[in-house]
Amino acid sequence: MDRRFLLRNVALGLGWPLVFGLQAAQRVWRIGFLGGGPRPSNGLVPEALRQALRDLGYVEGKNVVYSGRWSESRSQRLPGLADELINLKPDVIVTFVGKAGVAAKNATSTVPIVFVGDGDAIGVGLIASLSRPGGNVTGITDQANELSAKRLELLKEAIPAVKRVAVLWNADDLGMTLRYQQIQKAAAVLRLTVEPLGVREPEDFNSAFSSMDKERPDALLLVTDSFTDLSRKRVLDFAATHGIPAMYERGNLVREGGLMSYGPNFDDMFRRAATYVDKILKGTRPGDLPVEQPTRYYLLVNVNTAKSLGLTIPNSVLLRADEIVR
């Protein structure tokens, strides 16, 4: 800053606060984004996150720059992508689901990390506790383990005759395996039999479908992460062709023809994550920010799919639905 400008402001009594304020106003923040899913067609980080940050004063092309990396559902790429982001010297990194948060944490102990939707963040080693996550990590977790049990309960309530449920999940992901284990526990309470269909490679879906062909389950529950989401159309088509009612975690699968879903709204979670980013950029340590959980979860039911399956969904379920897809 020009020395004469500085001296003039001091002489006028404006002093250092104004000088530092001008420096802060001129700063351009760098925000990294690491996602476990496919790169979006526009190559941009989630709109809900960017819009919420714009509302907080972070304007692209003015005082914030985003750098995004996506693993295209290949988790083995995440460590390298995390390193790429660290080399760009971001002020904070936002991660989205699956192993992205763990990869970022393993890549740096100094750059603040805000994770979104990592499920059992304690179980996978991201944080020490919800109230005091510690270290350089905080974020929004979606209570995935508890939700897994709730999904099974809703499925049983919607289809009381269900006795045997096939569970399809990414067995190569600790977080997804923890969800499956919660489903097992809930099934014992509900007196349901679980058929475990863990997948690790795309070819494993063929084996899972073959198992269901040999012994048709009464229903299917898909545990969704970036890997299983990549094959969601195959799962939807198989369930429709074989007349198997299915419960999903994300509403978009119900809009695409699935029977039911129950889970959080990720746009809501990204908007909350923006407030974390803002606090961190203003000086709060991430480890001192308690991890939040969504306050609302959404139940979707596709009545056209129910009709095609010959099912009548009880009014007790329909009245609680946040969205009925027709």
Side-chain angles (χ1 to χ4, degrees):
M1 183 170 292
D2 188 272
R3 183 171 177 272
R4 288 173 297 176
F5 175 81
L6 171 60
L7 292 174
R8 184 171 65 252
N9 279 301
V10 172
L12 291 173
L14 298 177
W16 292 106
L18 174 60
V19 173
F20 286 127
L22 288 171
Q23 287 179 327
Q26 293 168 354
R27 177 163 184 176
V28 176
W29 302 98
R30 301 192 66 88
I31 298 176
F33 178 84
L34 182 61
R39 178 186 178 88
S41 57
N42 61 12
L44 301 176
V45 306
E47 169 62 21
L49 175 67
R50 290 184 291 119
Q51 180 60 61
L53 283 167
R54 280 196 292 271
D55 293 341
L56 291 168
Y58 300 90
V59 180
E60 296 162 77
K62 182 179 179 182
N63 63 347
V64 67
V65 173
Y66 295 97
S67 300
R69 297 291 187 274
W70 294 265
S71 73
E72 305 287 350
S73 302
R74 288 178 286 177
S75 60
Q76 67 272 18
R77 295 185 59 201
L78 286 168
L81 295 174
D83 288 337
E84 285 184 22
L85 285 176
I86 297 302
N87 289 335
L88 295 175
K89 301 187 184 307
D91 297 291
V92 63
I93 294 175
V94 178
T95 68
F96 181 48
V97 301
K99 298 179 179 179
V102 174
K105 182 181 180 181
N106 289 341
T108 178
S109 60
T110 57
V111 177
I113 297 167
V114 177
F115 65 83
V116 174
D118 274 78
D120 188 355
I122 298 174
V124 300
L126 260 180
I127 59 173
S129 71
L130 296 179
S131 59
R132 294 191 66 82
N136 61 321
V137 182
T138 188
I140 318 293
T141 184
D142 59 4
Q143 296 175 292
N145 293 342
E146 294 85 348
L147 284 173
S148 295
K150 183 63 177 179
R151 291 180 183 110
L152 196 62
E153 292 175 14
L154 285 168
L155 184 61
K156 175 67 175 176
E157 183 179 350
I159 314 171
V162 165
K163 298 294 182 184
R164 186 166 171 273
V165 180
V167 180
L168 190 58
W169 88 99
N170 180 2
D172 200 34
D173 187 298
L174 174 59
M176 303 307 109
T177 299
L178 291 173
R179 296 190 196 187
Y180 167 71
Q181 291 171 354
Q182 290 297 319
I183 294 170
Q184 280 187 310
K185 293 178 182 178
V189 174
L190 295 169
R191 297 183 179 179
L192 298 175
T193 300
V194 169
E195 178 185 356
L197 299 174
V199 291
R200 291 182 169 85
E201 302 290 340
E203 296 75 17
D204 292 343
F205 283 90
N206 294 328
S207 298
F209 295 150
S210 178
S211 294
M212 286 188 280
D213 270 334
K214 292 177 182 177
E215 190 173 358
R216 181 184 178 280
D218 299 317
L220 168 67
L221 197 160
L222 176 66
V223 178
T224 304
D225 69 339
S226 58
F227 173 64
T228 57
D229 187 61
L230 199 63
S231 297
R232 69 180 186 275
K233 188 177 187 306
R234 295 180 64 193
V235 176
L236 287 166
D237 290 346
F238 181 87
T241 301
H242 292 76
I244 300 174
M247 166 66 81
Y248 302 94
E249 297 189 352
R250 302 180 184 177
N252 64 297
L253 278 82
V254 177
R255 299 185 188 100
E256 293 172 14
L259 177 62
M260 301 174 63
S261 70
Y262 184 69
N265 182 301
F266 285 119
D267 284 349
D268 291 346
M269 296 173 76
F270 278 122
R271 283 188 280 268
R272 290 301 304 154
T275 66
Y276 277 67
V277 172
D278 179 49
K279 290 177 181 178
I280 289 169
L281 294 182
K282 290 178 177 175
T284 304
R285 294 186 303 179
D288 293 337
L289 290 170
V291 171
E292 287 190 7
Q293 297 174 320
T295 57
R296 183 178 178 187
Y297 296 94
Y298 298 82
L299 173 63
L300 280 72
V301 179
N302 190 318
V303 293
N304 286 337
T305 299
K307 183 178 180 181
S308 68
L309 294 170
L311 298 173
T312 300
I313 304 298
N315 285 332
S316 61
V317 175
L318 294 177
L319 289 173
R320 287 152 56 194
D322 297 279
E323 182 179 340
I324 294 179
V325 180
R326 301 183 185 279

